[in-house]
Amino acid sequence: MTDGKEQDIQEKNLKHPKLNPLAVDHDTLKYHLLGPSLTKAGQDTVDQSKVSDIIYNASKGSKFFNNEEHKDKNLTHKIERVLARKRQLERLDLTSDLRRADDYIGQLELTRDLSQTIIHIDCDAFYAAVEELDRPELKDVPFAVGKGVITTCNYHARKFGCRSAMAGFVALKLCPQLISIPLNFAKYTAKAQEVREILADYDPRFESASIDEAYLNITQYCEDKQMDPEEAVTQLRDEVHEKTHITISAGIAANAKIAKIASNRNKPNGQFRVANDRKTILAFMRDLPTRKVNGVGRVFERELDAIGVKTCGDIYAYRGYLAKLFGDKAFQFLMQCYLGLGRTMVQPAEEYQRKSVGTESTFREMSDKTELREKLRWIAEELEKDMTRTQYKGRTLVLKIKLHTYEVLTRQTIPPKAVSTADDLYNFALPMFTKLEKEIPGMRLRLMGLRCTHLVSTKKGASDFFGIRRQDSNTSESNSPVKNTRSTDNNEEWEVWPDEEFEAAALKEQEDEMEERELLSQEETQQHQQIEEASRQHNKHHRSSDDPKFQKEDSCTKIAEPNSTTKAKNISAENTTPDAEDNKSWTCPICSRPQNTTGSAINSHIDYCLSRQTIKEVARDINLIPGSEPAQAIPLSTAVNVKAFSLAEQSESVARGGKRKVSASASNSIPNMDTRRKKKLFFDSAKTNK
């Protein structure tokens, strides 16, 4: 149970996304920037409004930010249209719509199955937990797995607001002491296999939902062992911890939808059961925020909130509007959410019928035509591997690109034959790509992908002589995990489980977020590299203009230049004379390099050292550099002035031939220290060094 303060923060966080769609744009944008992992466990005590402010300010001005702002405005306009449509409907007689909705609810109730016990298990911060096994010192410090974008982080980091699908540099602003380590998929896959071997003892036909989560039907196991479901799940969790040394959390319910929601309730290393009772299920769903349901992403959440649906319990009151506002499938999905209905069929993931196979790659901004074609060829080769592994060919080939502006474009073609080889994939994708190049001159990309749809199985025995796919003798259409049909009195059928499309859409939203935050991280890295390169060029310029050695080298080059012989000889003669070199240079106490004594050169060099060197040292002192020890936060501008004054005092001390410490009283007046005073101290030092 959470205490009063935690409950208040949790309620505040739940209210934060429920923003008026007509409110100031940056309010909805800030919520949008929180990312798809807002509902991850371990963040109930985090003030998400502060987190959103940090993310907003950290990404503002980037291409990612501009794209997110554009999408947020489009969504706001869409919601305005939905509200306008709702106002029109409110003036109409919706009696027939309400009657049809109530009939559908009655039909759905007939499908309620309370005889099965479904569990959803989720490994706790899986990647992080596996890393801790090899590096125990990470257990008590905040750390994340993934460099550019966080794939997961431990619960210490989540207390600061860090979470998966967050750009690494943003996470460092939330938690400066965050440690980031690279991914090691081989290690995670091996550990996942250890967990799956244990799961198979409880349900040989368990369903892997991802590398770190799975669904199991333990009805038969509990009957055979004469065990209560909670007792069986406790035993399962203890066994996983004992044999693999990681912890898992579990949800226990009558169907997969509720089990997944419940598994997040007592994380980490806990379990939660929703009893197989209609009244208990309805009560559980009544106060559940819509965002907690798998299949409701941030976009759908905002649309529902705009019309007044904040929790699953609110759905019933708007049942007459839903189909007209969002479509029949959305209506069906939402009514099942209200009733707490979901699939009870659990089967190995490979038995599901795939709709597509694809691969894509994000990369730093690329415009060179040769490089782009090489990237397209590489993606085709990667897709061939996936097609071979899954044993499919595709009748339709889809090309996806993301421009440097984050705009996504897709093109598709239907080859004369089903394709799967890299040569075919590349050859049929290239014309689409070439056409895009002509449509968008100077095209710059950040992402490229290929996907095959309308799949044809290449498994032996998958179809008969006439090419008709054979049905598995022990699998019927009624057992489909996606669609479950039931005959009515008039022999019509209706779709009972439209969850797949909504869950796939929510998953796609998360994948897109990961891609975009990876690009944001790359953009930030690119900016840093440009700054560093500019700094190197600036440093090189000062060295060549102030350092006699570089002047000498430069003069040798200039001698060979036409129309500059006389000037070059004069420069060479001046700079190769020992006496002139001794009389016209001084050693800077900061960079320890000899400097020219002309007034302009002195001023330029002092300004350069005071800005570059001191800021670099101050950044180290106040823990702006990752990996340094935590220090008390102080304003950077004050710290720079303190450091500059200290360095100036040191140079003055050298000039006087002694050592001097900065007194406390002197330090108090440091921020207002006159720049001319600093330069004078440097100048005095120069005279002494001469």
Side-chain angles (χ1 to χ4, degrees), residues 231-259:
E231 181 183 358
V233 173
T234 300
Q235 175 182 290
L236 167 61
R237 291 176 44 246
D238 289 343
E239 187 175 350
V240 169
H241 184 237
E242 179 182 352
K243 293 182 179 180
T244 69
H245 308 292
I246 65 170
T247 63
I248 63 173
S249 296
I252 313 167
N255 59 62
K257 178 181 291 180
I258 300 179

Side-chain angles (χ1 to χ4, degrees), residues 340-546:
L341 296 174
R343 63 183 177 91
T344 58
M345 182 66 185
V346 174
Q347 64 184 23
E350 55 268 21
E351 293 185 11
Y352 288 116
Q353 183 176 357
R354 298 193 65 146
K355 293 185 176 180
S356 66
V357 179
T359 186
E360 55 190 40
S361 173
T362 59
F363 40 82
R364 294 179 181 175
E365 192 173 299
M366 187 183 297
S367 60
D368 183 79
K369 291 187 176 182
T370 302
E371 291 182 351
L372 288 171
R373 280 161 174 72
E374 290 174 353
K375 177 64 69 173
L376 180 61
R377 176 70 195 188
W378 179 83
I379 292 173
E381 292 171 353
E382 291 299 306
L383 180 54
E384 179 188 33
K385 297 175 185 177
D386 291 337
M387 300 294 283
T388 302
R389 177 177 53 81
T390 57
Q391 295 182 289
Y392 283 110
K393 290 184 177 182
R395 294 192 181 275
T396 303
L397 179 63
V398 181
L399 169 68
K400 173 184 175 182
I401 63 170
K402 181 174 289 186
L403 302 177
H404 70 287
T405 58
Y406 287 85
E407 181 182 359
V408 177
L409 301 175
T410 59
R411 298 290 186 270
Q412 68 178 37
T413 186
I414 301 177
K417 62 177 182 178
V419 294
S420 63
T421 66
D423 288 341
D424 286 341
L425 294 168
Y426 177 77
N427 290 333
F428 286 113
L430 187 58
M432 293 188 287
F433 184 78
T434 304
K435 187 177 180 181
L436 281 169
E437 286 182 319
K438 294 178 180 178
E439 295 173 358
I440 311 172
M443 185 172 67
R444 291 180 287 167
L445 302 186
R446 288 176 171 271
L447 175 145
M448 189 186 298
L450 290 174
R451 181 170 296 274
C452 286
T453 62
H454 299 95
L455 301 177
V456 178
S457 177
T458 58
K459 295 179 181 178
K460 293 182 179 180
S463 58
D464 61 17
F465 179 80
F466 298 99
I468 300 174
R469 186 177 177 83
R470 297 195 185 102
Q471 291 289 335
D472 194 335
S473 59
N474 60 5
T475 303
S476 65
E477 182 68 21
S478 61
N479 286 332
S480 169
V482 178
K483 295 182 180 179
N484 186 5
T485 57
R486 184 184 183 90
S487 298
T488 61
D489 293 338
N490 57 3
N491 294 322
E492 293 180 352
E493 293 183 338
W494 66 88
E495 187 180 36
V496 178
W497 313 129
D499 294 22
E500 182 192 74
E501 290 187 27
F502 288 88
E503 292 176 4
L507 179 61
K508 184 65 168 58
E509 183 179 289
Q510 294 181 16
E511 291 174 349
D512 289 344
E513 290 290 342
M514 286 289 288
E515 291 173 2
E516 290 171 359
R517 279 157 176 76
E518 175 64 32
L519 295 173
L520 172 62
S521 178
Q522 292 175 0
E523 186 177 344
E524 178 74 8
T525 301
Q526 190 175 17
Q527 289 177 353
H528 278 297
Q529 290 175 343
Q530 290 173 350
I531 292 173
E532 290 175 359
E533 178 62 24
S535 177
R536 282 195 294 269
Q537 294 296 330
H538 185 66
N539 190 23
K540 180 180 179 181
H541 170 73
H542 276 281
R543 291 168 66 188
S544 62
S545 62
D546 295 337

Side-chain angles (χ1 to χ4, degrees), residues 112 114 254-255 258 274-286 338-341:
R112 189 183 293 276
L114 301 176
N255 59 62
I258 300 179
V274 178
N276 290 26
D277 173 77
R278 180 180 180 275
K279 185 176 180 180
T280 302
I281 292 172
L282 290 176
F284 176 77
M285 299 300 294
R286 182 182 60 237
Y338 164 71
L339 295 172
L341 296 174

